[in-house]
Amino acid sequence: MTDIIKVLLVDDQNLIRQGLKALLELEPDLEIVGEAENGEIGLHFIEQLYPDVVLMDIRMPVMDGVATTREIQKRFPKIKVLVLTTFDDDEYVKAALQNGAMGYLLKDTPSEELAVAIRAVHKGYTQLGPGIVKKLLNQFSHVTPTQSPSPPPSLAELTPREKEVLQLIAIGASNREIAQQLYISEGTVKNHVTNILNRLNLRDRTQAAIFANSFFPSLNDPN
C-alpha cells in the first residue's frame, strides 16, 4: 500500500489554492489536509495537522513565506517546505532556501511535475525549478572583485570528477541527468554528491548549487 503524503497549501490567493487542490487530489498518494491564506494561519494548521510537505507561497500578508519557513524549520524540522512562486521573487526565494526550504518551483509548473517534486521533497531531495540557480547567480554578479569571497581550501580537495558533478549540480541537473552526461551510474552520482556535501560541509544540493556558482571560476581552474 502506498504511503499517503499529507500536504498543506499556504497561499494568499484562493484561486491558486483551489486550483492546486483540484489538481493534486487527482494523485492517489497525495492528500491536501488544509489550506491557509498566510503564514500565521499556516503555522496554526501545522500544529494541528502536522503535514509532511508544505507548499509555500512567498509574498503574503501578515506573515510571508520566508518568515514562515524559518519558523517551520525551527519548530517542525521534519516538515518539508516546497516554495511555489514567480521569477520576480529572487530575493525572497534566496532567503527561503537559506532558511530551510527544500526547493523552489514556478506556480505554472505542470501538476504531474509538481506531484513528482512533492514526492522527492518528502524523501529529502532538493528540487530546483528551471532558471533558479542562474537567477541566484545573478545576485553574485553585482559583487565587486574586492568583495568576492575566497574559495575555501576544501574546494581544492574535490577530485576532478567531483568538480564535474558539482558544476552540473550548479545548473540544476538531476542525478539522472548527471549520470547521462558523465556516462556513469546514478548510484555513482549519489556517492559523489554525498562526498561533495561532506567535504564542503554543505547541507543539501541547494547549498551546493549556490556554493558552486559563487566560486564558478575556481571550478574551471585546471589547478
Side-chain angles (χ1 to χ4, degrees):
M1 181 177 178
T2 303
D3 291 335
I4 300 298
I5 301 173
K6 297 185 295 183
V7 181
L8 176 68
L9 306 178
V10 183
D11 194 298
D12 64 329
Q13 298 183 52
N14 181 61
L15 187 61
I16 295 292
R17 296 198 309 272
Q18 292 301 312
L20 287 171
K21 181 178 181 180
L23 291 171
L24 294 177
E25 284 189 334
L26 296 175
E27 303 291 333
D29 60 335
L30 302 182
E31 178 186 0
I32 307 303
V33 295
E35 304 173 39
E37 62 190 43
N38 60 59
E40 186 174 270
I41 297 174
L43 287 172
H44 176 70
F45 279 133
I46 287 173
E47 292 176 346
Q48 294 182 325
L49 304 170
Y50 211 86
D52 299 303
V53 177
V54 177
L55 291 189
M56 181 77 69
D57 188 19
I58 288 293
R59 295 182 178 178
M60 297 180 290
V62 184
M63 189 175 190
D64 67 23
V66 174
T68 308
T69 299
R70 185 185 305 118
E71 281 299 305
I72 293 173
Q73 180 69 15
K74 184 190 305 181
R75 296 164 54 186
F76 310 99
K78 292 184 179 181
I79 294 178
K80 308 299 193 300
V81 175
L82 177 59
V83 173
L84 289 180
T85 186
T86 67
F87 269 151
D88 296 326
D89 292 319
D90 295 11
E91 287 289 348
Y92 284 94
V93 171
K94 179 182 176 183
L97 293 174
Q98 290 175 332
N99 281 281
M102 290 294 293
Y104 155 100
L105 290 175
L106 296 179
K107 286 185 177 179
D108 61 0
T109 298
S111 59
E112 59 271 18
E113 293 182 20
L114 178 55
V116 170
I118 291 172
R119 296 181 187 109
V121 164
H122 179 240
K123 292 179 180 179
Y125 296 105
T126 300
Q127 295 291 299
L128 297 177
I132 177 58
V133 175
K134 182 177 180 180
K135 295 191 76 66
L136 290 175
L137 176 59
N138 288 339
Q139 305 211 13
F140 293 102
S141 65
H142 303 296
V143 179
T144 63
T146 56
Q147 295 173 310
S148 298
S150 299
S154 55
L155 182 59
E157 297 176 3
L158 297 183
T159 66
R161 177 64 86 189
E162 287 169 348
K163 288 184 178 181
E164 289 179 320
V165 172
L166 184 56
Q167 288 182 23
L168 291 170
I169 291 175
I171 60 173
S174 66
N175 284 353
R176 177 176 297 180
E177 291 167 336
I178 294 173
Q180 293 173 344
Q181 179 77 16
L182 300 181
Y183 301 101
I184 56 179
S185 69
E186 285 190 56
T188 300
V189 173
K190 291 179 181 178
N191 290 336
H192 284 316
V193 173
T194 298
N195 290 338
I196 290 168
L197 296 181
N198 289 337
R199 290 190 186 189
L200 300 180
N201 194 28
L202 300 172
R203 185 185 66 215
D204 53 34
R205 294 173 74 99
T206 301
Q207 287 192 348
I210 295 173
F211 173 94
N213 280 290
S214 299
F215 302 108
F216 199 78
S218 299
L219 290 176
N220 289 317
D221 187 344
N223 299 320

